[in-house]
Amino acid sequence: MAISKDSRARIIYGGVVHALSLTKLEILERGLIAVGADGKIAWVEGDVEGSRLQEVVSSHGWTLDGVEFVELKKGEWVMPGFVDTHTHAPQYPNLGVGGQYELLDWLNNVTFPTEAKFSDVAFAKKTYEEVVQRVLSNGTTTCCYYGSLHLEATKVLADIAFAKGQRAFIGKCNMDRNGGTNYQEPSAEQSLKDTTEFIAHVSSLQPDATEPLVQPILTPRFAIACTGDLLGGLGKIAAANPTMAIQTHISENAGEIAFTKQLFPECESYAHVYDRYGLLREKTILAHGCHLEHKELELIKSKGAGISHCPTSNFNLRSGMAKVGEMLDRGIKVGLGTDVSGGYSASMITAIQHASVCSKMVSVQAPVGWGSGRFANKQLPISTLVYLATMGGAELCGLENHIGNFLVGKEFDALLVNGLVGEVWRDDKLEALVEKFLFCGDSRNISAVWVGNRVVN
């Protein structure tokens, strides 16, 4: 089946899978999705017999002759593209390295030396071409990237993501202390100046778009890498740009938390550091949150911020296990992140698998009798895992009205999945194939990737 790469109007007929809520995964064996040339979903029908195709299409004022008609085979389906809410583009060269360390030693011995190499713009261009393509090939249609602290290299990352058609939030990393002698900015002033220039560069890529494909995101690395002057300056930039997203780390590792409290004794908690400087609000994406206190969870909820759950990294660096179920019960927004290269896989499928394992281990360790909420101290069901990897991420990014599932009016960011790759899968029903894809599949099962109805992989 040949699929055109342009964004022409098309109708897709066959398996459709998407999460409507944390507890409802809609699986349609014979769904119809109509997508306009503008990249948005025009209409959806649930269960259509082949004999009624023309009738149903005509009822919407469309004709099969006037569009690209894509009929899926048995064992194929479309689902929303994954939203990776936390990854580090300049860490891909050391993917899989340093698992013997915990967080702070891993940063100093492995990560900061690798990120320092991105002062070389030619190296950055070569690397980022490979990074963005690899992320797309794994089915990630929207990605929140941390760049390095280098302005020019991070501009290159934004240009490449835009050219390849990926939806992305990209931030020049801010850090003016505790990066060692070779990897920190000379001053808060320089960091803020470069950040302002970077925002202008990204904003110039689609100056007239109401929802640009690539957007800037403020990126203080984490509290211990930023002085109060830098955090305060970023807070002023945030105040001047009230709809701009913000990304940073929080409560990942016990040593990191202790160091943060040492550096900011005037703040009640780690979360209060970001709040003090005006960086905790809607579209603030806080990575990890393994050891958040109750008062921090309350603060995060009240500010409309959310958590990027990065279980692969949390396991790999022995950081801890985020209590995602409790966060969901509190109404806190949660998405998933690969957190390359603390996480050793660029695939959101791996993040889904480890989110499932993490929820089971949290459940095992919970005191007897705890677990009266809907999700807390319980293993996460398939519907919730898919939601976190798609709609949950969209909510964190403020894109819940644009992407995340297949509701009418949303952008068609989608994956064509082939569940027939692998002999043992062949005779299963669609529901079973979906679960097998999530726990046994990989990029080989992803036949096509659309962003805004344009094939990007």
Side-chain angles (χ1 to χ4, degrees), residues 39-280:
K40 295 182 179 179
I41 299 169
W43 49 268
V44 180
E45 293 284 350
D47 188 19
V48 181
E49 294 279 357
S51 60
R52 295 187 59 240
L53 271 175
Q54 188 66 61
E55 173 193 344
V56 173
V57 171
S58 297
S59 72
H60 291 279
W62 286 45
T63 65
L64 290 176
D65 293 335
V67 301
E68 179 180 57
F69 180 67
V70 180
E71 184 171 6
L72 305 184
K73 301 173 185 175
K74 175 179 171 57
E76 292 183 322
W77 68 91
V78 291
M79 64 181 293
F82 296 129
V83 181
D84 186 347
T85 56
H86 184 71
T87 201
H88 295 262
Q91 291 181 21
Y92 273 71
N94 58 278
L95 192 66
V97 176
Q100 70 270 32
Y101 296 114
E102 289 191 21
L103 175 65
L104 298 182
D105 287 337
W106 173 78
L107 288 171
N108 289 318
N109 289 289
V110 178
T111 298
F112 290 161
T114 298
E115 291 193 21
K117 296 177 182 177
F118 286 80
S119 60
D120 181 343
V121 177
F123 174 79
K125 187 176 189 308
K126 181 180 185 299
T127 303
Y128 287 152
E129 286 277 357
E130 296 169 355
V131 168
V132 175
Q133 196 57 56
R134 181 169 182 179
V135 173
L136 283 170
S137 70
N138 277 286
T140 297
T141 51
T142 299
C143 193
C144 296
Y145 289 110
Y146 284 59
S148 65
L149 56 77
H150 308 103
L151 171 61
E152 296 305 322
T154 312
K155 286 181 181 179
V156 166
L157 174 59
D159 293 345
I160 290 171
F162 180 69
K164 289 185 178 293
Q166 186 175 42
R167 203 177 301 280
F169 292 80
I170 298 176
K172 190 208 78 65
C173 197
N174 300 104
M175 48 185 299
D176 64 343
R177 65 172 170 181
N178 294 319
T181 56
N182 296 321
Y183 198 63
Q184 63 186 43
E185 294 168 294
S187 66
E189 291 77 17
Q190 187 62 51
S191 182
L192 295 168
K193 179 177 180 294
D194 287 351
T195 297
T196 301
E197 184 176 339
F198 178 73
I199 291 169
H201 175 79
V202 177
S203 300
S204 72
L205 296 175
Q206 282 181 291
D208 299 323
T210 55
E211 194 66 54
L213 193 68
V214 177
Q215 300 185 40
I217 182 169
L218 291 178
T219 307
R221 186 177 202 111
F222 54 177
I224 65 177
C226 300
T227 61
D229 287 344
L230 180 51
L231 292 174
L234 291 171
K236 290 178 181 177
I237 294 175
N241 298 272
T243 62
M244 186 177 292
I246 301 167
Q247 61 183 357
T248 190
H249 299 76
I250 193 168
S251 297
E252 179 177 357
N253 166 280
E256 167 217 15
I257 297 168
F259 194 13
T260 300
K261 291 182 175 181
Q262 178 185 334
L263 292 173
F264 296 93
E266 71 280 8
C267 294
E268 186 177 350
S269 71
Y270 200 153
H272 284 84
V273 174
Y274 297 130
D275 188 45
R276 175 186 176 90
Y277 292 102
L279 297 170
L280 197 62

Side-chain angles (χ1 to χ4, degrees), residues 349-403:
I349 298 173
T350 305
I352 289 170
Q353 295 163 2
H354 289 165
S356 176
V357 173
C358 180
S359 70
K360 292 171 183 176
M361 294 311 299
V362 169
S363 174
V364 166
Q365 294 182 358
V368 176
W370 287 36
S372 58
R374 194 172 197 177
F375 299 103
N377 300 319
K378 296 181 176 71
Q379 63 189 61
L380 298 177
I382 298 299
S383 60
T384 306
L385 294 169
V386 174
Y387 190 93
L388 295 181
T390 54
M391 267 302 293
E395 290 170 345
L396 274 186
C397 297
L399 296 178
E400 64 273 16
N401 295 323
H402 299 274
I403 60 168

